[in-house]
Amino acid sequence: MKQDQAASPITEKSLFYWVFKDNLKLQIILLVIIIVVVFARVIPLEMQKRIINDSIALQNIKGLFLYCAIYIIAITLASGLKLAINYLQAVIGERAITTMRKELYQHILTLPLGFFRTTQPGMVVASLMTELSTAGTFAGMAFAVPVTNILTLLAFAGYLLWLNPKLAGATLIIYPIAVFVIPILQKKTNEANKKRVDLSRTTSNQIAESISAINEIQIHGAYNQEGRKFNFLAEQLQKIRIRWSLFRFGIKTTNNYFVGLGPFVIFIFGGYLVMHGQLALGAMVAFLSAQEKLFDPWKELIDFYQTYQDASVGYTRTMSYFDALPEFSLEPVETASEPLIGRLEVNNLIYDTPDGHRLLNGISFALAAGEHLAVVGYSGGGKSTLIQAIGKMFNYTSGNIQIDGHELSTLPKKEITRSIGYISQSPFIFTGSIEENLLYAYIAAMEAVAAPPADEIKIDLDRMILVLQQVGLFVDVIRFGLDSLIAPDDEEIAEKLIAIRQRFREKFGEKLADYVEFYNQDNYHMNSSVAENIIFGSITNKTADYNLLPENPRFRSFLQQVDLLEPLFSLGIELAGQAVDILAGVGAVDLFFQKSPVPADRLEECETILARLKKNPFSSLSPQNQTFILSLALNFTPSIHTMSRLPHTLKETILSARKVFPEWYQAIAPDLFTSYCETCYIPGESILNNIFFGRTRPGLSQAQDIINQSIMHLLVEEDFLEKIAAFGLQFQVGTMGDRLSGGQRQKLAIARVLLKQPKIILMDEATSALDNKSQARIQRLMTSLWKRKRTVIAAVHRLDTIDSYDKVAVMKAGKLVEFGTYNELIDQKGILHELIYGRKQPSP
């Protein structure tokens, strides 16, 4: 589809447009450097002739040194300036491709939603990141390469004509023949390249579709079906790439052949001229050298021609694919314009899909500003389509939607951005922090009003916290904040956490004694493993792990020094024996295995080791078996592995080893561990662990809630809750929010719409992933804070909540079949009554 330059300039711009865009000064500098380089390239040819004819032949030693000096200066200058040309080409090319990508991406974001229903994300990615790369490379060389090489060819040709016109004419006549033959091969190359680009795009789409549908593929075991689809495309791509490569190499081979004819002509004709005294020997050497040097600019021109053809194909294909107009006007809103208040009128609204399916059929209703409408009905009735039409996500076929008397189709998209908020059933959460997602809609709304830079748009923390509390996400954010780490050099926060830890122990130590085992240097901790009791600290190097300690020879050496190695071997053997005696024959998933440090899948290994020990000493075990036995002992946690008991004497030995462990690791690996200290901050541990400084006793279901309440209470008292919330807002949600639950994603989506305070809120089953308590919270929010202030249109899946709405719209097969208050429609005993109470009641 063609369009005018103003409407969609990016797709109408030629490839050569990017060559000089923002690069004119660099291109002028390039031109000056190129002229100097060309001059520097011709000088060595003349010096070769003079060295042979004027110096060597006449035995002129002074002239020899002079001409050689000029020669080396010239080639050094040319090499240095060539490097400068290549660097400037790279800068221009990278600038061009970056600008191309930015402008095309901005254009793609404005294309109609219908475009993306038929376009795979992989195709967009491939177009932006791969197909435009060749175009960017060409833009970098589009001026420098042809100018450099054409001037070089002209300079060399002129020099050769000056030396001997006859020999120069015989030599240069080869190139016009090559210019005639090579474009024929290039035409074939272009045809193959177009097919390659199209097929590569199709293959990328297939890959993207399969990865997007990986759940369906694995659930149905459709590996072979998807494999066949890809295999077919891969084989077709292989064939076309081979054909494309054949023509490309054919061009290079043909070019090399013609270039190779040059010396042949010089030897035959030039040799004849030298023999007959019509050409000096030095001139013939210069001819040979020039002929060889002619190959480089000629080769670069051929490569440039191929790059241009490849870039042109890819660029044209990419731009033509995205050559579409935005569906709506994107003009910015004037700051003096009156904001919408939310009065809505829908008259005879009809929407037909491009393939002729009617999804909305004559919808008409009106809402006063601040009224709430629940849209209900059967699946496929058009609820979501109606909400999306009001949100201006697509153009409706006929009828009209008016907001405050303004026809929706005439309102710029940025006015909609400012005044309408949309929350979907499956909201998209962007990779980044909670704060970035929370501010997403707010920043867009602010830019629609005044267009300030995004980094200058600020919002106070209290307002963000209020919104998070309203949607029920604040507790999660606090938890994320407590689980976060502070910067190593943030001494002020570290000191504050130490003070809060001491206050926590003083205020809640006795109250939580039944739930928590607080760390104490002099006590053995029953809720920690043997290894954790020895170390009494944390491993600061995240590449290390407690599980790696049994196989570490240095750590074993330490255990030997403190008389722990043999007792721990004995403990490990005892644990293995108890596991075999009690758990042999028990199912691998049995809960009994949770009370033993022996994993279910290694019980058989324990049996083998014990059988060997009945006949042989412990030293006869393999190193792997000894490591396994030691790991059982080091992982033993008395409060969890209750099938065994830890001897009192071993506890005392472990506590003694704990006291000397810091001295040992400071000498061996000072950066690997950090010892616990009641008055010190623990680097590498979370804020919560620094405050808590202990372990929760197992088996107490209510313990965590009591602990959390105590910590929250203390954070409020210490005026530190907002700081924790600020840390929590920086929590990274993962790729598309995959580190958040479905309910957390919906709460965050609701919160980001509330933060910008739109006058109209559209909710497409926006609470479907929330539990009953969270849904009730959102319902109370709507009733208490939004009524009479914000117009709400919500597609509702839970019919027990719609009695709080001002109006109810019942849709069926794209038609509005009932509209009125909840009580009016229930009294009519129509479709709403049937949806709520079951079978439709007969009229009296």
Side-chain angles (χ1 to χ4, degrees), residues 226-240:
E226 294 302 314
R228 284 193 296 271
K229 293 178 187 177
F230 178 77
N231 291 346
F232 173 78
L233 292 172
E235 289 170 5
Q236 295 299 311
L237 186 59
Q238 172 187 306
K239 292 177 183 177
I240 195 63

PDB file of all heavy atoms in Angstrom, residues 226-240:
ATOM      1  N   GLU A 226       5.649 -30.272  13.844  1.00  0.00           N
ATOM      2  CA  GLU A 226       6.391 -29.010  13.784  1.00  0.00           C
ATOM      3  C   GLU A 226       7.748 -29.219  13.131  1.00  0.00           C
ATOM      4  O   GLU A 226       8.245 -28.357  12.406  1.00  0.00           O
ATOM      5  CB  GLU A 226       6.554 -28.436  15.193  1.00  0.00           C
ATOM      6  CG  GLU A 226       5.259 -28.021  15.850  1.00  0.00           C
ATOM      7  CD  GLU A 226       4.500 -26.994  15.035  1.00  0.00           C
ATOM      8  OE1 GLU A 226       5.108 -26.023  14.571  1.00  0.00           O
ATOM      9  OE2 GLU A 226       3.277 -27.190  14.841  1.00  0.00           O
ATOM     10  N   GLY A 227       8.356 -30.377  13.402  1.00  0.00           N
ATOM     11  CA  GLY A 227       9.641 -30.675  12.781  1.00  0.00           C
ATOM     12  C   GLY A 227       9.537 -30.743  11.269  1.00  0.00           C
ATOM     13  O   GLY A 227      10.410 -30.251  10.548  1.00  0.00           O
ATOM     14  N   ARG A 228       8.439 -31.364  10.764  1.00  0.00           N
ATOM     15  CA  ARG A 228       8.255 -31.454   9.313  1.00  0.00           C
ATOM     16  C   ARG A 228       8.081 -30.084   8.687  1.00  0.00           C
ATOM     17  O   ARG A 228       8.626 -29.804   7.605  1.00  0.00           O
ATOM     18  CB  ARG A 228       7.048 -32.349   8.993  1.00  0.00           C
ATOM     19  CG  ARG A 228       7.317 -33.843   9.161  1.00  0.00           C
ATOM     20  CD  ARG A 228       6.198 -34.670   8.540  1.00  0.00           C
ATOM     21  NE  ARG A 228       4.928 -34.469   9.214  1.00  0.00           N
ATOM     22  CZ  ARG A 228       4.501 -35.182  10.256  1.00  0.00           C
ATOM     23  NH1 ARG A 228       5.264 -36.154  10.750  1.00  0.00           N
ATOM     24  NH2 ARG A 228       3.327 -34.955  10.805  1.00  0.00           N
ATOM     25  N   LYS A 229       7.337 -29.203   9.345  1.00  0.00           N
ATOM     26  CA  LYS A 229       7.156 -27.844   8.823  1.00  0.00           C
ATOM     27  C   LYS A 229       8.508 -27.147   8.683  1.00  0.00           C
ATOM     28  O   LYS A 229       8.821 -26.544   7.644  1.00  0.00           O
ATOM     29  CB  LYS A 229       6.252 -27.026   9.749  1.00  0.00           C
ATOM     30  CG  LYS A 229       4.813 -27.479   9.815  1.00  0.00           C
ATOM     31  CD  LYS A 229       4.050 -26.600  10.800  1.00  0.00           C
ATOM     32  CE  LYS A 229       2.637 -27.115  11.041  1.00  0.00           C
ATOM     33  NZ  LYS A 229       1.941 -26.300  12.054  1.00  0.00           N
ATOM     34  N   PHE A 230       9.295 -27.222   9.740  1.00  0.00           N
ATOM     35  CA  PHE A 230      10.578 -26.521   9.724  1.00  0.00           C
ATOM     36  C   PHE A 230      11.544 -27.171   8.735  1.00  0.00           C
ATOM     37  O   PHE A 230      12.279 -26.487   8.020  1.00  0.00           O
ATOM     38  CB  PHE A 230      11.191 -26.505  11.121  1.00  0.00           C
ATOM     39  CG  PHE A 230      12.542 -25.839  11.171  1.00  0.00           C
ATOM     40  CD1 PHE A 230      12.649 -24.462  11.152  1.00  0.00           C
ATOM     41  CD2 PHE A 230      13.709 -26.595  11.200  1.00  0.00           C
ATOM     42  CE1 PHE A 230      13.883 -23.841  11.182  1.00  0.00           C
ATOM     43  CE2 PHE A 230      14.945 -25.986  11.226  1.00  0.00           C
ATOM     44  CZ  PHE A 230      15.033 -24.600  11.218  1.00  0.00           C
ATOM     45  N   ASN A 231      11.549 -28.507   8.707  1.00  0.00           N
ATOM     46  CA  ASN A 231      12.469 -29.210   7.802  1.00  0.00           C
ATOM     47  C   ASN A 231      12.216 -28.835   6.349  1.00  0.00           C
ATOM     48  O   ASN A 231      13.154 -28.642   5.562  1.00  0.00           O
ATOM     49  CB  ASN A 231      12.326 -30.723   7.972  1.00  0.00           C
ATOM     50  CG  ASN A 231      12.849 -31.188   9.323  1.00  0.00           C
ATOM     51  OD1 ASN A 231      13.537 -30.440  10.025  1.00  0.00           O
ATOM     52  ND2 ASN A 231      12.506 -32.403   9.705  1.00  0.00           N
ATOM     53  N   PHE A 232      10.938 -28.725   5.980  1.00  0.00           N
ATOM     54  CA  PHE A 232      10.605 -28.364   4.599  1.00  0.00           C
ATOM     55  C   PHE A 232      11.145 -26.977   4.267  1.00  0.00           C
ATOM     56  O   PHE A 232      11.787 -26.771   3.228  1.00  0.00           O
ATOM     57  CB  PHE A 232       9.090 -28.405   4.397  1.00  0.00           C
ATOM     58  CG  PHE A 232       8.648 -27.895   3.054  1.00  0.00           C
ATOM     59  CD1 PHE A 232       8.760 -28.697   1.922  1.00  0.00           C
ATOM     60  CD2 PHE A 232       8.125 -26.610   2.912  1.00  0.00           C
ATOM     61  CE1 PHE A 232       8.366 -28.223   0.668  1.00  0.00           C
ATOM     62  CE2 PHE A 232       7.721 -26.133   1.670  1.00  0.00           C
ATOM     63  CZ  PHE A 232       7.842 -26.946   0.549  1.00  0.00           C
ATOM     64  N   LEU A 233      10.905 -26.016   5.164  1.00  0.00           N
ATOM     65  CA  LEU A 233      11.374 -24.651   4.924  1.00  0.00           C
ATOM     66  C   LEU A 233      12.900 -24.599   4.915  1.00  0.00           C
ATOM     67  O   LEU A 233      13.506 -23.886   4.101  1.00  0.00           O
ATOM     68  CB  LEU A 233      10.813 -23.710   5.987  1.00  0.00           C
ATOM     69  CG  LEU A 233       9.300 -23.462   5.934  1.00  0.00           C
ATOM     70  CD1 LEU A 233       8.848 -22.678   7.155  1.00  0.00           C
ATOM     71  CD2 LEU A 233       8.930 -22.739   4.659  1.00  0.00           C
ATOM     72  N   ALA A 234      13.531 -25.335   5.829  1.00  0.00           N
ATOM     73  CA  ALA A 234      14.990 -25.331   5.898  1.00  0.00           C
ATOM     74  C   ALA A 234      15.608 -25.888   4.615  1.00  0.00           C
ATOM     75  O   ALA A 234      16.618 -25.368   4.116  1.00  0.00           O
ATOM     76  CB  ALA A 234      15.457 -26.139   7.104  1.00  0.00           C
ATOM     77  N   GLU A 235      14.993 -26.933   4.067  1.00  0.00           N
ATOM     78  CA  GLU A 235      15.516 -27.517   2.822  1.00  0.00           C
ATOM     79  C   GLU A 235      15.335 -26.558   1.647  1.00  0.00           C
ATOM     80  O   GLU A 235      16.225 -26.428   0.793  1.00  0.00           O
ATOM     81  CB  GLU A 235      14.818 -28.846   2.548  1.00  0.00           C
ATOM     82  CG  GLU A 235      15.243 -29.946   3.521  1.00  0.00           C
ATOM     83  CD  GLU A 235      14.376 -31.192   3.399  1.00  0.00           C
ATOM     84  OE1 GLU A 235      13.511 -31.214   2.492  1.00  0.00           O
ATOM     85  OE2 GLU A 235      14.564 -32.122   4.201  1.00  0.00           O
ATOM     86  N   GLN A 236      14.175 -25.887   1.590  1.00  0.00           N
ATOM     87  CA  GLN A 236      13.963 -24.913   0.521  1.00  0.00           C
ATOM     88  C   GLN A 236      14.948 -23.754   0.642  1.00  0.00           C
ATOM     89  O   GLN A 236      15.485 -23.271  -0.359  1.00  0.00           O
ATOM     90  CB  GLN A 236      12.517 -24.378   0.580  1.00  0.00           C
ATOM     91  CG  GLN A 236      11.452 -25.426   0.303  1.00  0.00           C
ATOM     92  CD  GLN A 236      11.591 -26.018  -1.083  1.00  0.00           C
ATOM     93  OE1 GLN A 236      11.720 -25.302  -2.074  1.00  0.00           O
ATOM     94  NE2 GLN A 236      11.571 -27.350  -1.158  1.00  0.00           N
ATOM     95  N   LEU A 237      15.184 -23.335   1.872  1.00  0.00           N
ATOM     96  CA  LEU A 237      16.137 -22.241   2.100  1.00  0.00           C
ATOM     97  C   LEU A 237      17.547 -22.671   1.706  1.00  0.00           C
ATOM     98  O   LEU A 237      18.325 -21.878   1.155  1.00  0.00           O
ATOM     99  CB  LEU A 237      16.102 -21.821   3.575  1.00  0.00           C
ATOM    100  CG  LEU A 237      16.924 -20.593   3.975  1.00  0.00           C
ATOM    101  CD1 LEU A 237      16.488 -19.366   3.192  1.00  0.00           C
ATOM    102  CD2 LEU A 237      16.807 -20.332   5.473  1.00  0.00           C
ATOM    103  N   GLN A 238      17.874 -23.922   1.992  1.00  0.00           N
ATOM    104  CA  GLN A 238      19.190 -24.437   1.600  1.00  0.00           C
ATOM    105  C   GLN A 238      19.388 -24.353   0.092  1.00  0.00           C
ATOM    106  O   GLN A 238      20.428 -23.899  -0.390  1.00  0.00           O
ATOM    107  CB  GLN A 238      19.323 -25.884   2.065  1.00  0.00           C
ATOM    108  CG  GLN A 238      20.572 -26.588   1.558  1.00  0.00           C
ATOM    109  CD  GLN A 238      20.576 -28.068   1.902  1.00  0.00           C
ATOM    110  OE1 GLN A 238      20.419 -28.422   3.054  1.00  0.00           O
ATOM    111  NE2 GLN A 238      20.739 -28.921   0.900  1.00  0.00           N
ATOM    112  N   LYS A 239      18.372 -24.763  -0.666  1.00  0.00           N
ATOM    113  CA  LYS A 239      18.477 -24.764  -2.127  1.00  0.00           C
ATOM    114  C   LYS A 239      18.665 -23.351  -2.669  1.00  0.00           C
ATOM    115  O   LYS A 239      19.518 -23.094  -3.518  1.00  0.00           O
ATOM    116  CB  LYS A 239      17.235 -25.400  -2.740  1.00  0.00           C
ATOM    117  CG  LYS A 239      17.101 -26.888  -2.463  1.00  0.00           C
ATOM    118  CD  LYS A 239      15.800 -27.437  -3.042  1.00  0.00           C
ATOM    119  CE  LYS A 239      15.635 -28.918  -2.709  1.00  0.00           C
ATOM    120  NZ  LYS A 239      14.339 -29.444  -3.216  1.00  0.00           N
ATOM    121  N   ILE A 240      17.854 -22.414  -2.158  1.00  0.00           N
ATOM    122  CA  ILE A 240      17.919 -21.058  -2.703  1.00  0.00           C
ATOM    123  C   ILE A 240      19.213 -20.372  -2.287  1.00  0.00           C
ATOM    124  O   ILE A 240      19.790 -19.576  -3.040  1.00  0.00           O
ATOM    125  CB  ILE A 240      16.685 -20.224  -2.287  1.00  0.00           C
ATOM    126  CG1 ILE A 240      16.577 -18.969  -3.142  1.00  0.00           C
ATOM    127  CG2 ILE A 240      16.730 -19.864  -0.820  1.00  0.00           C
ATOM    128  CD1 ILE A 240      16.371 -19.252  -4.613  1.00  0.00           C
TER     129      ILE A 240
END
